[in-house]
């Protein structure tokens, strides 16, 4: 199931400037990654490892270690942790492992971020977005505090957006392409069905089937799940404190 857009209009003249800025920042960092690694589709060389180890969230380093023992297939090698590993909880949210990783994250940010930005307001939305990313990183680290694998990507923060969206706009429809082999069909699915489907089949099932593994197959499932849950809580809190915006008969959560 591949989302294309949401049918969730916002007031005329509103421009989600923070969402645009976040997308631009992620793309700019990605261009820096390309220049540094000389790769594009997937960053896998030694330069990429150096970049991710110093600026990605390495659980072993964030939890207090000063060195990591890493096996590159030719025996274990000791590598010093960054001097300020906590910064990586923020910097890691702007790094991506390759073009597909970036493209998928930015698509979801583009589709779902604007309505959340409108609800929270620009400055609060930016702060909450970064909070979602950091929280997801911490939850990922709790899953395996001694891991030496760097975690990178905006997925945790964007999962927070999806969780909040589910609570705040459950009836908004998502224009979706469903692909099953040679069968392709365009669907319009309400967020209350699409987003739980995404959570279960893209994250919960792989996480549990993998034996509660963290970063199984290169994906930090626990960060996605954690970010989504924190986003649900944030959306619920907003809805409880702004109940007048969700009166009977308002389809999308906007008055009038």
């Amino acid at each position: 199931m591949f989302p294309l857009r949401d049918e969730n209009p916002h007031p005329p003249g509103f421009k989600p400037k923070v969402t645009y800025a976040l997308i631009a920042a992620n793309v700019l960092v990605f261009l820096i990654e390309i220049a540094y690694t000389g790769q594009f589709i997937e960053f896998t060389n030694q330069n990429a490892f150096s970049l991710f180890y110093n600026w990605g969230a390495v659980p072993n380093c964030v939890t207090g270690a000063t060195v990591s023992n890493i096996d590159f297939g030719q025996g274990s090698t000791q590598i010093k942790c960054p001097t300020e590993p906590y910064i990586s909880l923020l910097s890691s949210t702007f790094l991506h492992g390759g073009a597909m990783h970036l493209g998928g994250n930015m698509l979801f940010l583009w589709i779902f971020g604007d309505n959340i930005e409108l609800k929270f307001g620009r400055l609060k939305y930016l702060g909450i977005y970064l909070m979602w990313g950091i929280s997801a990183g911490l939850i990922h680290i709790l899953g395996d505090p001694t891991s030496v694998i760097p975690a990178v990507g905006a997925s945790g923060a964007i999962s927070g957006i999806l969780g909040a969206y589910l609570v705040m706009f459950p009836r908004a429809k998502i224009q979706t392409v469903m692909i099953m082999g040679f069968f392709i069909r365009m669907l319009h699915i309400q967020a209350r069905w699409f987003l739980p489907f995404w959570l279960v089949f893209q994250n919960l099932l792989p996480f549990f089937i993998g034996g509660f593994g963290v970063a199984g197959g290169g994906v930090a499932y626990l960060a996605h799940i954690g970010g989504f849950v924190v986003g649900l809580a944030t959306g619920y809190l907003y809805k409880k404190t702004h109940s007048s915006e969700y009166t009977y008969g308002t389809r999308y959560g906007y008055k009038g």
Side-chain angles (χ1 to χ4, degrees):
M1 294 177 63
F2 188 77
L4 298 178
R5 57 183 293 269
D6 66 337
E7 299 173 4
N8 192 351
H10 39 65
F14 171 75
K15 293 182 179 180
K17 294 181 179 179
V18 174
T19 297
Y20 293 160
L22 287 170
I23 293 173
N26 278 278
V27 171
L28 177 60
V29 172
F30 185 73
L31 294 176
I32 295 172
E33 290 181 79
I34 293 173
Y36 189 77
T37 65
Q39 296 181 307
F40 175 72
I41 300 299
E42 190 174 3
F43 302 129
T44 58
N45 60 21
Q46 186 63 39
N47 284 344
F49 172 79
S50 175
L51 180 67
F52 292 156
Y53 191 80
N54 283 285
W55 296 101
V58 182
N60 184 57
C61 295
V62 175
T63 54
T66 56
V67 296
S68 294
N69 294 310
I70 301 176
D71 189 350
F72 293 102
Q74 299 176 342
S76 181
T77 302
Q78 272 199 349
I79 299 180
K80 288 185 178 180
C81 289
T83 54
E84 298 293 339
Y86 302 113
I87 295 175
S88 67
L89 290 169
L90 180 61
S91 61
S92 63
T93 64
F94 293 92
L95 292 168
H96 288 85
M100 293 296 290
H101 190 198
L102 174 75
N105 278 344
M106 294 305 100
L107 174 65
F108 274 77
L109 179 55
W110 174 270
I111 293 173
F112 297 101
D114 57 341
N115 299 104
I116 302 300
E117 178 179 344
L118 175 61
K119 282 294 187 182
F120 284 117
R122 291 187 175 119
L123 288 178
K124 189 180 293 184
Y125 167 67
L126 176 60
I128 290 174
Y129 173 91
L130 297 176
M131 181 272 290
W132 283 331
I134 292 171
S135 299
L138 289 172
I139 292 169
H140 166 75
I141 289 168
L142 285 174
D144 188 357
T146 61
S147 172
V148 296
I149 302 173
V152 298
S155 306
I158 295 169
S159 294
I161 289 176
L162 301 184
Y165 195 102
L166 175 59
V167 174
M168 297 166 71
F169 306 104
R171 298 183 182 276
K173 291 184 178 180
I174 313 301
Q175 187 175 337
T176 308
V177 176
M178 185 173 70
I179 304 173
M180 298 180 65
F182 293 104
F183 176 78
I184 302 176
R185 185 175 180 181
M186 186 74 70
L187 302 173
H188 298 264
I189 306 173
Q190 288 187 349
R192 60 177 173 170
W193 307 120
F194 177 86
L195 293 175
F197 181 93
W198 172 85
L199 178 68
V200 170
F201 287 95
Q202 296 294 321
N203 295 284
L204 287 175
L205 283 181
F207 177 70
F208 289 122
I209 291 172
F212 302 92
V214 179
V219 180
Y221 295 115
L222 195 57
H224 298 182
I225 297 166
F228 194 89
V229 171
V230 175
L232 282 174
T234 310
Y236 177 79
L237 181 62
Y238 179 92
K239 202 167 183 178
K240 290 292 286 184
T241 55
H242 296 76
S243 57
S244 62
E245 296 181 18
Y246 294 87
T247 56
Y248 179 78
T250 57
R251 183 175 183 185
Y252 299 107
Y254 302 119
K255 284 186 175 181

